[in-house]
């Protein structure tokens, strides 16, 4: 009977270690599943970050294009205003010369009047 008692102890121990192995396997599977889920969430976060960066790139390219268009339009307007300014400056120079010439004529006439009126 001692032998059968010893056998039942061994059976119980091996039965316990079997359930312990099952428990360990279950924990291992649960940990692996948790790791897979964590890796999936990490990939999703990385993909979202990449998508966000791509969206930022596209928005910056769009903004840059609008800025370049504004710069080109402003540059064209500047060139036009500069050309108009050159024309106006040339006209002002011509008018100033005419005014100086007319003032000289008036001064000469006034001088002649003074000379003629005094004699």
């Amino acid at each position: 009977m001692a032998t059968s008692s010893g056998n039942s102890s061994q059976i119980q121990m091996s039965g316990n270690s079997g359930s312990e192995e099952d428990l360990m396997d279950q924990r291992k599977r649960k940990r692996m599943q948790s790791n897979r889920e964590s890796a999936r969430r990490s990939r999703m976060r990385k993909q979202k970050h990449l998508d966000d960066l791509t969206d930022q790139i596209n928005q910056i390219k769009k903004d840059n294009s609008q800025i370049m268009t504004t710069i080109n339009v402003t540059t064209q307007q500047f060139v036009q205003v500069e050309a108009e300014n050159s024309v106006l400056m040339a006209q002002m120079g011509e008018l100033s010369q005419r005014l100086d010439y007319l003032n000289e004529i008036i001064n000469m006439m006034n001088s002649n009047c003074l000379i003629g009126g005094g004699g």
Side-chain angles (χ1 to χ4, degrees), residues 21-73:
E21 286 177 19
D22 288 344
L23 185 60
M24 294 297 280
D25 284 345
Q26 188 178 11
R27 287 181 182 166
K28 185 176 179 181
R29 283 191 299 271
K30 190 174 183 180
R31 189 171 52 250
M32 286 175 60
Q33 182 61 33
S34 175
N35 288 345
R36 283 188 194 111
E37 184 62 26
S38 177
R40 186 185 68 78
R41 287 191 308 266
S42 177
R43 286 190 301 273
M44 287 176 65
R45 279 193 306 271
K46 286 180 182 179
Q47 185 62 49
K48 182 173 182 344
H49 184 63
L50 181 62
D51 292 344
D52 290 345
L53 290 175
T54 302
D55 289 345
Q56 284 181 357
I57 288 170
N58 290 333
Q59 184 62 45
I60 290 170
K61 284 181 178 180
K62 181 181 173 187
D63 292 346
N64 188 49
S65 177
Q66 289 175 346
I67 290 169
M68 291 302 293
T69 299
T70 302
I71 287 172
N72 289 336
V73 167

Side-chain angles (χ1 to χ4, degrees), residues 60-101:
I60 290 170
K61 284 181 178 180
K62 181 181 173 187
D63 292 346
N64 188 49
S65 177
Q66 289 175 346
I67 290 169
M68 291 302 293
T69 299
T70 302
I71 287 172
N72 289 336
V73 167
T74 304
T75 300
Q76 288 173 354
Q77 290 173 344
F78 173 77
V79 169
Q80 288 174 346
V81 168
E82 198 173 42
E84 290 173 14
N85 189 47
S86 293
V87 169
L88 292 172
M89 292 294 281
Q91 288 175 347
M92 185 181 77
E94 290 175 16
L95 292 172
S96 291
Q97 286 177 348
R98 286 184 188 175
L99 181 61
D100 289 344
Y101 178 70

